[in-house]
Structure formats: C-alpha cells, structure tokens
Amino acid sequence: MDFHVEEARVLGKGMRLLTGALIVACVVLVGRGAPSGDPSARSLPDKAAVSKDVVPNRVMTWNICNPCEESDVDRAAEIATYAPQVIGLQEACVRDVEKIRDYLESRHGLVYHVEYGTVLRNWGRCGGAPWSPGAYGQAVLSAAPMTDLVNVEYPDGGSEDRGYMAVTTTVGGRSLRVFNTHLAERRQETVRADQTGVLAAEVARHERAIVLGDFNAVPDAPELTGIWALAADADPQCRPPHTGDCKPTTDWQSKFDYVFLRGIVPLGQGVHPTPHSDHDLVHADLDTT
C-alpha cells in the first residue's frame, strides 16, 4: 500500500473523530444553556435559588392587583424577600396563587400550604374558558398546616362580590385564628360599614386573632370603628385619631392595608413598595407568647 495514501487515510479518520467529539461537546453546552419552552424556567441567578426558612412569627398582607398582567415569578420573589410564616393575598386568582406557590418552593425553597376564599368566578379578571372562568377572591398561604377553613361572602359586596376567609394555623409556635378580607371599593362607605359589622362579630369570638386585608378605608374612616374596638393595627402610628406618621400602603398614598391584632403584641411592621401591584406589601413581626 502506498505510504502517502495510508497516511491520508489515518489523518482523515482522526479528523472525523475530532469533528464528532466537537459536535457532541457543542450539543451538551448548547443544551445546558438553552431555555425551555417556558420562558420563566430559564436558569436563575444563584441568589434566587438559595433555600431559606420562613420567619416563624411574621405575617404579611398583599393585594396583588388583578387583572394587572404581573409576573407570578416576580410576585413570588417579592414574598420570598420577607419569607413570612403566613401570607394573606387579596384580588387573587387561583391559578396565579398556584404558580406563586410553586415558584416559592422551586426557586426560593419556601414551602407553603394554601387555602382559598373564592367569592366569584370572573373571566375578565382570571381568564379561563368563557364557560369556566377562573376563581377569584382571597387566599391564605401558611408554612404550617391550616384547619377549620371558613369562607364567607358579605351579604352586600358593593360593586363586586367581597368576603372574608378564616383559618387556624401556627404563628410563632402558637395556634391562632387568622382572617383575610377585602372590603368594598372606595366611595362605598355604607357597604363597608355593614361588611365590617359581619367581620367584627366573628373576630369577637376569639381572644387572640390576626386580621389581614385590604379594607379600602383610611384609619379614621367611620366604617372601621367596629374593628378598632376589637383590635389594633401592627403599626402604632396608624391608630385613630390619625396623628402619627402612618405610612401609606397604596400608589395613591392612602393607608388601606392592615395587620389588625387582637390579643397579640406587635414587635415591628414594614411597608414595602413594589412595582408589581398598586398596593404595597405589609408585614408584621409578632410576639405570640
């Protein structure tokens, strides 16, 4: 056999092997970096994937704004920043809460149970099929299991159905009753007064309770009188008469969002502006001993 022919054959075989190895390597590298069909499933910054524990004595309330076309990935990241034991959400579509809960676990290592306080099914707010629109209302997420769910629609919701939900769960190592509500829209004071009457009658049955929610009323509003008679806001500056430095919780600079406490002492409260809703996140750390 001619030497030059044999040399060319050996070199050709070597080049084919090298080319094949390079192709395999490229496929592996591209496969690792390529996004999946779900844009939100792309690789995360290291800090977003770090697991953390909830703060056992921390509760949060947040009207997440619907329909606002906000990212549930971003909503979950906002919640994870403060890692509360219990979260009360208002204007919550079930499918959004499911996604938020999944992202809290998969991206932030925070595992929550969930209960829903659905008051209506609304395609315009929550999507879904026209004959089967998505469920809308309140939701409570808790790191501990929840029992004794109660879901009540107010007799008069005003311009839209409204209600409250209540669960029993653990906060700061103690079993407590937690309420979550969303009252009638602004300029419906009389309706809200009737709603707080219904809510207050139930809260009064418990010596210790937490009442979270969007009350659509400032602290001095007459319709909140029945609630103030039973509980105090976690922020001592927001108690009537309104003379303190009460931080607003909405984009229109009003205090509408409350962590009302009955028989529980607050240790501190925070109001956290967010670009992902027209309401701020409000959290409170509690002394439950």
Side-chain angles (χ1 to χ4, degrees), residues 6-288:
E6 180 63 22
E7 182 181 31
R9 183 179 297 168
V10 171
L11 288 173
K13 182 178 181 181
M15 289 299 294
R16 287 194 298 273
L17 292 172
L18 178 61
T19 300
L22 289 172
I23 291 172
V24 171
C26 287
V27 169
V28 171
L29 289 173
V30 172
R32 287 177 179 173
S36 69
D38 178 5
S40 66
R42 295 176 184 174
S43 52
L44 295 166
D46 290 342
K47 65 179 182 179
V50 173
S51 296
K52 60 195 290 188
D53 293 328
V54 298
V55 181
N57 65 331
R58 177 170 294 171
V59 298
M60 174 184 287
T61 184
W62 190 19
N63 181 321
I64 60 176
C65 186
N66 248 308
C68 291
E69 299 182 357
E70 294 293 338
S71 164
D72 291 320
V73 172
D74 293 334
R75 287 166 166 164
E78 291 272 21
I79 292 170
T81 300
Y82 309 102
Q85 171 80 9
V86 172
I87 309 151
L89 299 177
Q90 303 89 42
E91 294 196 16
C93 295
V94 168
R95 60 168 48 90
D96 284 326
V97 176
E98 289 174 343
K99 291 177 182 177
I100 291 168
R101 184 185 177 207
D102 287 344
Y103 289 133
L104 283 167
E105 181 173 0
S106 63
R107 295 186 167 222
H108 306 285
L110 297 172
V111 179
Y112 289 97
H113 304 267
V114 64
E115 294 287 0
Y116 295 99
T118 296
V119 294
L120 58 86
R121 294 185 175 272
N122 188 294
W123 182 86
R125 284 191 179 273
C126 297
W131 57 89
S132 182
Y136 171 85
Q138 288 74 248
V140 172
L141 283 73
S142 174
M146 291 175 277
T147 61
D148 303 321
L149 169 67
V150 170
N151 185 27
V152 175
E153 289 190 39
Y154 294 124
D156 182 0
S159 54
E160 179 181 79
D161 292 349
R162 295 290 163 91
Y164 76 84
M165 61 181 297
V167 297
T168 299
T169 190
T170 302
V171 180
R174 186 166 188 140
S175 179
L176 293 171
R177 196 66 172 161
V178 178
F179 295 81
N180 181 23
T181 191
H182 187 191
L183 300 189
E185 295 176 347
R186 288 176 289 175
R187 296 179 293 278
Q188 299 181 49
E189 294 85 353
T190 303
V191 175
R192 286 197 299 275
D194 290 340
Q195 293 172 348
T196 56
V198 173
L199 178 61
E202 183 62 26
V203 173
R205 297 178 59 242
H206 303 273
E207 292 183 4
R208 296 162 62 89
I210 301 168
V211 187
L212 309 171
D214 172 7
F215 285 73
N216 271 317
V218 296
D220 284 339
E223 61 266 32
L224 296 188
T225 301
I227 300 296
W228 286 117
L230 296 171
D233 188 56
D235 185 351
Q237 299 298 318
C238 291
R239 300 169 188 173
H242 188 179
T243 57
D245 182 20
C246 182
K247 293 182 179 179
T249 63
T250 65
D251 286 355
W252 47 95
Q253 297 301 300
S254 294
K255 160 79 171 180
F256 279 4
D257 304 273
Y258 297 82
V259 178
F260 281 114
L261 304 174
R262 177 170 168 81
I264 301 168
V265 177
L267 298 176
Q269 191 212 38
V271 177
H272 311 287
T274 169
H276 305 301
S277 175
D278 53 0
H279 287 251
D280 300 333
L281 291 82
V282 180
H283 93 267
D285 294 339
L286 313 177
D287 180 357
T288 61

